[in-house]
Amino acid sequence: DRFERLHEIKVPTLVIHGTEDSVLPFDHGEALAKGIPHANLMALEGVGHEIPEQIISQICKALIDHFNSVH
């Protein structure tokens, strides 16, 4: 368990997590985003543990936007 050390992460972070993930429930993603200073959470509504092919471009755009926002 490394939850207590999340505050040590100093790089801009984008947490991407499905709201219907049965392997790692959504509250895990929320806790991760809350534990990392200035992290952003991208909630994938209705998505489980595996990423559907039809939303890959949406995720790629979010990642590109995230990388471009790093200064």
Side-chain angles (χ1 to χ4, degrees), residues 18-34:
T19 61
E20 302 301 319
D21 191 330
S22 61
V23 176
L24 292 170
F26 185 65
D27 61 342
H28 288 227
E30 290 178 310
L32 187 62
K34 288 179 185 173

